[in-house]
Amino acid sequence: MVRAGLTADRVTLAGAELADEVGLEHVTMSAVARRLGVKDASLYAHVRSLEDLRGRIALLAADEKTIRIAEATAGRAGKDALVAYANAWRQYAHDHPGRYTATQIPIQIDPELVARAAGPRRAVELTYSMLRAYALQEPDLTDAVRLMRSTLHGFTSLEAAGGFAHARPAEDTWVRCLDALHTLLEHWPTHDEGDST
């Protein structure tokens, strides 16, 4: 790549591509500058710091993942939508491991960038909308969102780390996990049933 046309978006994309290749934790401003064929100082006209770059990567990834999920779940409801949502989530994590990591860890992101970004807001809307088909009301709806996110992130993270060494294929377990998640969402415990007092 050449210096001409260097923008914040180009720097962000270069950082995102590098994150997918070597891991987000190994992305440095120097490495991104080398990838773009510029000096380190040139990047600071477009991004303020490494943390700013990571925040921009997180917002890019949130937008990309949300678009995939929206396309996968369009016109679907109930278990169909849940499975499509989960599969799109998992595939994005497989395809873009560095970018995916950026969406799952605490990063200080410029509030102005967050305010302009559609991805995170759309992701929340899509998730809550999909789960409303299970007739859940607050606070159960938020609890269900957290359970689903924990399940999908936990599985994909363990899978990426090589945590499923058992002979049974991870794909078979994934399908059964989604079956179990659907069943739980359909039969969500009432507050009385789940009350520990």
Side-chain angles (χ1 to χ4, degrees):
M1 290 183 166
V2 294
R3 180 191 303 268
L6 197 63
T7 64
D9 286 346
R10 285 191 67 198
V11 173
T12 300
L13 183 58
E17 290 170 349
L18 188 61
D20 287 339
E21 292 169 14
V22 303
L24 183 68
E25 68 277 13
H26 298 299
V27 172
T28 64
M29 296 295 275
S30 293
V32 174
R34 284 194 300 275
R35 188 180 190 93
L36 290 167
V38 300
K39 295 191 180 300
D40 295 16
S42 300
L43 300 185
Y44 292 98
H46 306 285
V47 297
R48 292 195 308 269
S49 64
L50 180 58
E51 187 75 359
D52 182 37
L53 175 59
R54 287 180 173 179
R56 290 170 184 272
I57 292 170
L59 292 176
L60 169 67
D63 193 47
E64 291 175 340
K65 184 160 72 80
T66 299
I67 289 169
R68 280 205 190 184
I69 290 172
E71 290 173 349
T73 58
R76 300 175 184 269
K79 185 179 180 182
D80 248 6
L82 175 66
V83 170
Y85 183 111
N87 286 338
W89 174 302
R90 183 183 179 209
Q91 192 61 53
Y92 187 82
H94 285 181
D95 293 346
H96 298 291
R99 298 181 213 205
Y100 176 77
T101 297
T103 68
Q104 301 299 316
I105 62 172
I107 297 175
Q108 293 296 321
I109 305 178
D110 182 343
E112 289 185 14
L113 290 177
V114 174
R116 294 197 303 266
R121 285 193 309 275
R122 183 70 177 127
V124 171
E125 291 166 3
L126 274 170
T127 305
Y128 277 79
S129 176
M130 186 268 291
L131 287 177
R132 282 195 187 94
Y134 290 97
L136 297 173
Q137 303 298 321
E138 293 294 2
D140 294 328
L141 187 55
T142 292
D143 292 342
V145 169
R146 289 174 175 170
L147 172 65
M148 186 179 76
R149 182 180 174 196
S150 298
T151 302
L152 303 187
H153 176 61
F155 191 101
T156 54
S157 298
L158 286 168
E159 186 176 31
F164 299 137
H166 191 277
R168 178 168 168 76
E171 183 65 29
D172 294 348
T173 303
W174 173 254
V175 170
R176 294 297 289 142
C177 284
L178 297 184
D179 286 344
L181 184 57
H182 168 68
T183 299
L184 175 56
L185 291 169
E186 278 200 316
H187 303 282
W188 192 265
T190 66
H191 289 295
D192 289 340
E193 291 170 343
D195 193 347
S196 61
T197 57

